[in-house]
Amino acid sequence: MVNGPRAEGDFATWFAERARVNDQRVETIPFSALSGWDFDEDTGDLRHRTGRFFSVRGLRIRGGGPEGPREWSQPIIDQPEIGVLGILAKTFGGVRHFLLQAKAEPGNVNGIQLSPTVQATRSNYTRVHRGGSVRYLEYFTDRRGRGHGRGRGRVLVDVLQSEQGAWFLRKRNRNMIVEVDDDIPVQDDFRWFTLDEIRALLHRDNLINMDARTVISCLPPDRPADGRGALHSMTELSSWFTEAKARCELTADVVPLTGVTGWRRTPTEIAYDEGGRFRIIAVDVTAPHREVPSWTQPMLAPCDRGLAALLYRRIGGVPHFLVQAQVQEGCLDKLEIGPTVHCVPDEGAALPPDERPPYLDVLDSLSPDRIRYDRVQSEEGGRFFAAENRYVIAELDEDFPTDVPDRFCWVTLGQLKELLRHSHYVNIEARTLVACAEALG
């Protein structure tokens, strides 16, 4: 155990050793081999026998758009519990450090990734699985104070944020950063990192996991943004977003999984009849170093890699990012602010130009010297199997039009950071891109 940053060895050596110790085996299995999970006889929903963890249900969506009214249905993961994504912070030698964990998840493409200090659903930390306790959890769940009203450290971030609205039904997690002064025993799977070190590691594929990225994106800047130089005031930005929500005609209703049309269930998967999108599969996991050493569970497996891109240009010398009010069927409040482009390129390759995602062709036409960030990052590995997005940040010429369609808006990085102080504004993909933009220096 160590109480401060490691003086000996380098990150690569430590990470390789954690990968060896946290080796896991993940195998796909038929649904009939799931232990503790069953398809409900009446609804067809896939549930855990305890009624906890999560379930796979059906969702029927109705929405209007330029092409006219549309209606479709799909499976979706329903996990109503609010989990904790918490990072401990502590200052060593005048520099703030953050305690991250090398954690294996069954859906990770490379076994382990760096995760928050605590990454746990309520079912996990109340030990429904009868496994071991979650380390450091008390810093994030016991906020009532000790002694003379003094709690366990100072809260730097505490905000509910959404997760993937296309795959999760109204899912939220509590994103927290708590700064402590006390000495903390550091277990072998944990390590202190400076913010600069974390941002450097964001330039590597599939290393900083989704949960750590979203928490870090919520960290307040060293200096509050003064709003000078922004094309739109915060009031105008809020009005644009409110109007977009008011115009949104999408409705999404939970239905029995047996009522989902256009999808087929086989002994090994629930898949879209036309191919693509995603599949629901089952896996058997052996992970001796986890709180529970082995288990089975359903997972959502995307069929293709996605793309999430932020385009920006300088307006009056100030970088402005082009964001959209993005509708997602599982979103708690219909829509949130998303990247300029968010799509699965392989699925849209055959579409006519007028049906392709706006600005995708602009991104594709940019020369390589305009790409400021281009990395593949994994999405949540506890529920999604080998889910990846290519995250891109690219700079446009200064003569690129500032006049954009109604659902798009130019915002500064400082304005996005201000919105991240609140829930239900910035979606998970845009939060990753905020963290990546800050890593550009």
Side-chain angles (χ1 to χ4, degrees), residues 361-424:
D361 291 334
V362 172
L363 174 65
D364 289 342
S365 68
L366 292 177
S367 60
D369 66 323
R370 287 289 178 176
I371 306 300
R372 303 292 180 250
Y373 182 92
D374 191 350
R375 289 295 176 187
V376 174
Q377 300 290 359
S378 293
E379 302 310 319
E380 207 274 335
R383 302 292 175 263
F384 310 141
F385 186 80
E388 296 177 310
N389 274 314
R390 177 191 171 204
Y391 284 94
V392 177
I393 300 174
E395 185 173 10
L396 302 164
D397 290 329
E398 292 194 24
D399 60 357
F400 189 86
T402 56
D403 188 23
V404 293
D406 289 344
R407 84 169 198 251
F408 290 84
C409 189
W410 295 101
V411 301
T412 67
L413 186 59
Q415 288 176 320
L416 285 173
K417 294 290 289 185
E418 176 65 21
L419 292 173
L420 282 171
R421 296 176 55 231
H422 310 282
S423 305
H424 314 313

Side-chain angles (χ1 to χ4, degrees), residues 9 11 24 43 51 92 97 111 123 138 141 156 228 342 368 385 401 415 437:
F11 168 75
Q24 64 178 0
T43 65
F92 299 96
H97 288 64
S123 288
E138 65 273 14
T141 57
L156 303 181
R228 288 181 295 183
H342 183 205
F385 186 80
Q415 288 176 320

Side-chain angles (χ1 to χ4, degrees), residues 59-72:
L59 195 70
R60 178 173 294 121
I61 304 99
R62 299 177 181 87
E67 69 282 355
R70 295 182 58 216
E71 181 174 338
W72 72 99

Side-chain angles (χ1 to χ4, degrees), residues 119-274:
Q119 176 183 317
T121 66
R122 185 171 180 80
S123 288
N124 289 148
Y125 66 73
T126 56
R127 302 173 69 177
V128 173
H129 52 36
R130 299 181 181 178
S133 60
V134 177
R135 294 166 180 163
Y136 310 111
L137 178 67
E138 65 273 14
Y139 290 95
F140 305 98
T141 57
D142 183 7
R143 303 303 313 161
R144 291 171 296 178
R146 297 180 297 174
H148 302 287
R150 181 172 177 267
R152 292 179 179 268
R154 298 174 296 280
V155 174
L156 303 181
V157 171
D158 193 353
V159 60
L160 292 177
Q161 297 290 8
S162 65
E163 297 202 359
Q164 286 81 357
W167 298 338
F168 270 129
L169 179 63
R170 303 164 194 144
K171 178 72 173 73
R172 298 177 296 166
N173 272 322
R174 190 177 179 185
N175 288 227
M176 301 182 70
I177 300 178
V178 174
E179 189 167 41
V180 296
D181 296 321
D182 299 340
D183 286 340
I184 297 176
V186 177
Q187 307 297 324
D188 289 340
D189 285 339
F190 296 78
R191 183 181 174 110
W192 292 105
F193 294 85
T194 67
L195 188 57
D196 284 345
E197 288 172 332
I198 293 171
R199 287 173 174 169
L201 294 174
L202 277 169
H203 289 272
R204 295 170 58 176
D205 292 349
N206 294 324
L207 183 53
I208 305 291
N209 83 353
M210 184 200 81
D211 301 297
R213 297 194 305 265
T214 177
V215 176
I216 289 296
S217 76
C218 297
L219 185 69
D222 293 333
R223 292 189 302 272
D226 58 17
R228 288 181 295 183
L231 183 63
H232 305 290
S233 69
M234 287 302 297
T235 300
E236 291 169 335
L237 178 57
S238 177
S239 178
W240 162 77
F241 186 57
T242 302
E243 183 177 356
K245 288 197 289 185
R247 288 200 314 264
C248 181
E249 297 180 357
L250 179 138
T251 61
D253 300 308
V254 176
V255 298
L257 191 56
T258 53
V260 169
T261 58
W263 295 72
R264 67 184 183 280
R265 179 179 135 191
T266 73
T268 57
E269 65 178 10
I270 301 172
Y272 190 46
D273 287 343
E274 298 180 16

